[in-house]
Amino acid sequence: MVGLKPSEVPPTTAVKFLGAGTAACFADLLTFPLDTAKVRLQIQGENQAAQAAQSMQYRGVLGTLLIMVRTEGPRSPYNGLVAGLQRQMGFASIRIGLYDSVKQFYTPKGSDHSSVTTRILAGCTTGAMAVTCAQPTDVVKVRFQASVHLGPRSDRKYSGTMDAYRTIAKEEGVRGLWKGTLPNITRNAIVNCAEMVTYDIIKEKLLDYHLLTDNFPCHFMSAFGAGFCATVVASPVDVVKTRYMNSPPGWYRNPLHCMLKMVTQEGPTAFYKGFTPSFLRLGSWNVIMFVTYEQLKRALMKVQMLRESPF
């Protein structure tokens, strides 16, 4: 057995909620530069991509990160990290931590297993709930990641994360903090279904057919498959979401206008801009998150059982 042994008592909803948020933050700390590279590649070509960056052409994940470090400093790949961690604590806790509970809610009484339709419905539900609650943190994260800082600190639009929330609310209204909610709900409903349902099914089959036991190799294989599936199906919506949330007021009338403008000006391949960093990000993020999440659930349940034990 690799890692902690499964608890004899199923993990509680509170344990799953806390474990998911903590595991997601840990995964974000390790993979955030890949997400920043993905955002830069996704917005490249948009209005010739920011006046300050017209002379720069991002090529590939490593090339993008090297250009950022060379021109903006070594901390630039972590622009927006604070908002990213805030996002994960609210976002992942809901969409991942509540998935099993919502799945059980949708499962008919007396059923031993949840159907694929039930799992998809649970994934859509928790994904939409998470976006509705955490959208402002996502908007601020994308703004920081997309902004090119070539000048001194005084040239920056936002002095910090909290200032970004205040500035966006002041200049664009409170609705500005929920900009792009619809494409983000669409994107994360798809991602959540692809991640959670794929992970759930792969893990279940590996265990049912006794190919692997409930330990690290099983969690790794399931998470890797979930990351690849999520990237393939969610990349087009993710690009539209990033473009729309990062756009100045009035540049796009709505997400549909953003999508049509991308197709007419850049062609359908624009929907898969940043695919490689997206996969590297989602693949590695899923592996780190799910492996950590499984171990955290077991560790937290062990602590809880020790606290409740009379001896």
Side-chain angles (χ1 to χ4, degrees):
M1 175 67 73
V2 179
L4 298 174
K5 294 181 179 180
S7 171
E8 295 180 0
V9 180
T12 63
T13 301
V15 164
K16 293 177 183 177
F17 191 88
L18 178 61
T22 304
C25 284
F26 180 66
D28 243 30
L29 282 171
L30 298 182
T31 64
F32 200 81
L34 296 173
D35 191 44
T36 303
K38 177 204 71 174
V39 170
R40 292 293 180 94
L41 288 166
Q42 285 178 337
I43 65 171
Q44 187 164 257
E46 178 186 41
N47 191 28
Q48 298 303 311
Q51 296 297 318
Q54 282 187 1
S55 61
M56 290 184 283
Q57 182 71 25
Y58 298 124
R59 295 184 183 278
V61 183
L62 182 59
T64 300
L65 292 174
L66 287 175
I67 289 175
M68 289 181 63
V69 170
R70 187 172 65 248
T71 59
E72 303 173 57
R75 296 174 61 183
S76 59
Y78 280 93
N79 286 341
L81 178 62
V82 174
L85 295 178
Q86 292 172 349
R87 173 180 179 268
Q88 292 299 350
M89 278 309 298
F91 184 70
S93 297
I94 295 172
R95 78 177 183 91
I96 298 170
L98 298 184
Y99 171 77
D100 286 333
S101 299
V102 175
K103 182 177 69 174
Q104 290 302 316
F105 175 78
Y106 286 134
T107 302
K109 291 182 180 179
S111 298
D112 294 330
H113 296 285
S114 301
S115 66
V116 175
T117 302
T118 298
R119 299 180 204 212
I120 291 174
L121 186 58
C124 288
T125 301
T126 57
M129 288 168 56
V131 171
T132 303
C133 296
Q135 180 68 5
T137 60
D138 206 7
V139 171
V140 171
K141 178 183 80 76
V142 168
R143 296 285 180 93
F144 271 103
Q145 289 176 311
S147 59
V148 179
H149 298 151
L150 299 179
R153 189 175 182 82
S154 58
D155 290 341
R156 300 184 179 186
K157 186 171 183 179
Y158 309 121
S159 60
T161 304
M162 298 310 298
D163 180 61
Y165 290 119
R166 289 192 295 267
T167 302
I168 293 172
K170 182 178 179 181
E171 294 181 354
E172 304 174 40
V174 176
R175 292 180 61 183
L177 290 170
W178 270 267
K179 186 174 185 178
T181 300
L182 182 58
N184 210 12
I185 285 178
T186 305
R187 183 255 183 192
N188 281 291
I190 294 172
V191 168
N192 207 40
C193 284
E195 285 181 351
M196 296 306 299
V197 175
T198 304
Y199 181 83
D200 212 9
I201 291 175
I202 293 176
K203 180 182 174 183
E204 183 180 273
K205 297 306 178 185
L206 289 174
L207 296 177
D208 287 349
Y209 289 103
H210 304 290
L211 298 174
L212 293 171
T213 55
D214 192 4
N215 55 23
F216 173 79
C218 176
H219 304 156
F220 181 91
M221 292 295 294
S222 303
F224 186 84
F228 180 77
C229 183
T231 308
V232 171
V233 299
S235 188
V237 185
D238 191 31
V239 175
V240 173
K241 179 212 77 167
T242 300
R243 293 278 186 102
Y244 188 68
M245 288 200 306
N246 184 58
S247 65
W251 182 250
Y252 299 120
R253 292 192 295 273
N254 49 52
L256 180 60
H257 178 231
C258 176
M259 181 184 72
L260 294 175
K261 199 168 184 178
M262 284 174 58
V263 173
T264 55
Q265 293 184 354
E266 303 169 56
T269 56
F271 291 117
Y272 282 91
K273 280 192 172 183
F275 180 84
T276 300
S278 288
F279 173 60
L280 290 175
R281 156 74 166 174
L282 269 180
S284 57
W285 190 92
N286 271 272
V287 168
I288 296 168
M289 195 286 299
F290 277 114
V291 169
T292 306
Y293 177 46
E294 295 282 5
Q295 293 301 306
L296 275 174
K297 284 192 296 183
R298 296 173 183 184
L300 289 171
M301 284 305 298
K302 190 173 183 179
V303 171
Q304 183 173 314
M305 292 176 68
L306 286 173
R307 289 182 60 185
E308 295 175 353
S309 175
F311 303 103

